[in-house]
Amino acid sequence: MDKEGEGRVILASYGEVMLKGLNRPFFERKMLEGVRRAVAPFGPAVVSKSQGKLVVRPSGEGFDYARAVAAMRKVFGLAYVCDVRETAADMGVICGLAARLAGGGDPGMRTFKVEARRGDKGFHLNSMEICAAVGESILRNVGGVTVDLEKPSFVIHVEVRDGRAYVYRDREAGARGLPYATGGKAVSLLSGGIDSPVASWMMARRGVEIEAAYFHSYPYTTDRVKEKVASLVAALTEYTGEMRLHVVGFTKTQELIREVAKPTFVTLMMRGSMMRIASDIADRVGAKALVTGESMGQVASQTMEGLAATDRVVGKPVFRPLIGMDKNETIDLARAIGTYETSIIPYDDCCTLFSARHPELRPRPIEVDLIRSRLEGAGIGALEAEAAEGREEIMVRPGR
Ligand code: ATP
Ligand code: MG
């Protein structure tokens, strides 16, 4: 707090957590943890909840508000994040502060409106009167701005409660969703492509804790691909905090499939093996579901019959959040969440290297089972178990 008794805090409002009943404290606790982790690099601060909002109050000098707000916008569960001046509930002080905020910012933004909320029914002005007084004061003291109630280029917010006033310019949209790691754990099959990072993000945003599994086919795919996948995981950790990446050596399994299976079934059998190994890893880490970036009809293995065939090999739910999305929608989301630029770096995809030009589009279960039993006879089960057992685990942290 400075000499005018003015402080600066970050206030965030809850999204869906607001709707939670008896177990709301559990969700709130996870959200507080997420915010503490997100703001920690930007200086010491106390994170607490107050009247259904989350408050970040810096406890020392040099706190980087702008970057802390940006980091908080990636914490799942928050609807809005606001950089707020806290001051005495005095109209003179409030108007001076509002004019200062209205005069700062982008010079191109010339239209505004004021929104006020009176939490203190004892305050001498109601919210309409606060708006009118603050608006007039801004018009009088800041040159070249006009009021636009329909489409203002910025909004000055004033809240009066508990004998204090909170004044801020604009509120930033949060990531919404549910707090991370409140909805069980899943293993997400993460390739170096565009789709699977988006699928992982979507499930993480629904509160599902994610462990990533990447299938590496050394020497067909190089360590550069592994690095690329680790960078994608790092982008996800900005939302989730640290995340484990399991790197699975897939070469021997793949080579056996290529040797034994009909070429048109190779992709499908490989996908089945990936699912089995991922399911094995899930059992070892206490995960109860798998996640993939598959989308209906996108490629040959993503037909209804193909998806059904891979579903049959795992005894757990397989979440495919992109199933009904168009590719351009997935790309837009990849851009928005910050994975796209890494995803489009060229890489060797182990599956395309091994797959037939015209894979089976409508695999019949009986034929898939027959090929699988031939693979079993050739020892694929042992190779899959060995792949899961021998995996490399990398703990990826934000800011990598
Ligand atoms: P992506 O953009 O995620 O690579 P895609 O559209 O290229 O997806 P496919 O290559 O058919 O689709 O893969 C389908 C899904 O299988 C992927 O979204 C991913 O979940 C999983 N997958 C494919 N290859 C790998 C791999 N090498 N390691 C881990 N998961 C993989
Ligand atoms: Mg791919």
Side-chain angles (χ1 to χ4, degrees):
M1 214 170 274
D2 64 19
K3 54 187 181 305
E4 281 91 37
E6 182 187 321
R8 189 172 172 188
V9 296
I10 300 173
L11 271 190
S13 54
Y14 297 5
E16 255 178 76
V17 173
M18 213 62 204
L19 308 173
K20 295 289 167 200
L22 285 178
N23 49 2
R24 181 159 140 195
F26 167 67
F27 287 87
E28 283 185 314
R29 187 152 32 79
K30 287 288 191 181
M31 214 155 59
L32 280 167
E33 272 173 29
V35 170
R36 285 196 184 104
R37 169 194 58 73
V39 303
F42 307 114
V46 177
V47 181
S48 59
K49 60 185 168 77
S50 152
Q51 308 196 2
K53 297 225 173 177
L54 217 139
V55 188
V56 178
R57 194 177 293 279
S59 52
E61 294 296 298
F63 188 79
D64 189 336
Y65 287 85
R67 291 178 67 198
V69 167
M72 282 174 70
R73 293 181 67 195
K74 293 186 166 181
V75 176
F76 295 129
L78 299 178
Y80 293 104
V81 183
C82 316
D83 182 356
V84 175
R85 314 300 156 122
E86 181 187 5
T87 187
D90 170 282
M91 281 310 288
V93 177
I94 293 171
C95 287
L97 195 52
R100 205 172 82 212
L101 292 177
D106 186 338
M109 305 181 98
R110 313 307 295 163
T111 59
F112 77 99
K113 75 168 176 180
V114 181
E115 281 187 6
R117 188 175 302 160
R118 182 178 63 160
D120 260 347
K121 295 303 165 206
F123 192 66
H124 65 288
L125 300 181
N126 67 26
S127 56
M128 295 269 282
E129 292 163 336
I130 299 173
C131 282
V134 172
E136 267 172 42
S137 158
I138 292 173
L139 289 172
R140 221 172 24 239
N141 295 297
V142 183
V145 295
T146 54
V147 173
D148 182 346
L149 299 179
E150 296 294 312
K151 273 193 160 172
S153 52
F154 67 90
V155 180
I156 297 293
H157 299 260
V158 179
E159 281 182 41
V160 180
R161 57 182 154 93
D162 301 330
R164 303 287 292 164
Y166 301 85
V167 184
Y168 54 99
R169 177 179 168 139
D170 294 331
R171 42 186 207 179
E172 310 257 14
R176 295 188 180 263
L178 293 171
Y180 186 61
T182 52
K185 195 194 279 186
V187 168
S188 185
L189 285 80
L190 194 72
S191 71
I194 294 169
D195 299 341
S196 40
V198 175
S200 308
W201 182 88
M202 286 176 79
M203 295 318 297
R205 189 166 86 135
R206 293 311 300 165
V208 175
E209 185 177 357
I210 300 289
E211 299 214 4
Y214 163 62
F215 293 83
H216 194 43
S217 312
Y218 188 81
Y220 302 101
T221 54
T222 62
D223 278 353
R224 293 231 323 275
V225 189
K226 190 164 100 180
E227 277 304 310
K228 178 184 175 176
V229 173
S231 305
L232 288 169
V233 175
L236 295 173
T237 64
E238 293 191 18
Y239 297 87
T240 62
E242 62 179 20
M243 183 182 288
R244 188 173 286 121
L245 167 62
H246 302 266
V247 179
V248 180
F250 197 47
T251 314
K252 284 190 199 161
T253 310
Q254 261 181 320
E255 285 173 341
L256 182 66
I257 293 170
R258 185 174 55 181
E259 210 178 290
V260 173
K262 241 159 91 170
T264 53
F265 276 77
V266 164
T267 306
L268 189 73
M269 302 319 287
M270 278 185 342
R271 194 72 75 229
S273 280
M274 280 187 188
M275 294 292 213
R276 281 190 167 82
I277 296 168
S279 180
D280 183 351
I281 295 172
D283 291 337
R284 294 165 193 248
V285 301
K288 295 186 175 60
L290 303 183
V291 178
T292 77
E294 291 162 312
S295 171
M296 195 70 209
Q298 194 186 83
V299 292
S301 60
Q302 296 173 25
T303 59
M304 198 177 287
E305 290 81 354
L307 298 174
T310 46
D311 262 2
R312 279 200 306 137
V313 308
V314 276
K316 8 178 115 50
V318 180
F319 297 137
R320 299 180 172 94
L322 306 187
I323 197 73
M325 275 169 75
D326 266 3
K327 189 75 182 188
N328 59 332
E329 291 167 343
T330 304
I331 289 174
D332 286 347
L333 193 46
R335 283 210 174 93
I337 66 174
T339 54
Y340 183 74
E341 295 304 323
T342 306
S343 284
I344 58 169
I345 297 170
Y347 70 112
D348 343 290
D349 186 324
C350 66
C351 298
T352 47
L353 287 175
F354 278 68
S355 56
R357 192 109 50 88
H358 298 291
E360 187 58 51
L361 294 177
R362 314 244 168 272
R364 288 184 306 145
I366 190 168
E367 200 166 1
V368 177
D369 289 349
L370 198 75
I371 298 174
R372 179 68 198 183
S373 57
R374 292 228 312 277
L375 284 163
E376 302 270 358
I380 197 161
L383 292 182
E384 288 165 347
E386 191 186 306
E389 179 67 33
R391 73 194 184 279
E392 177 190 0
E393 290 189 2
I394 303 171
M395 196 50 117
V396 183
R397 298 195 165 78
R400 188 190 132 94

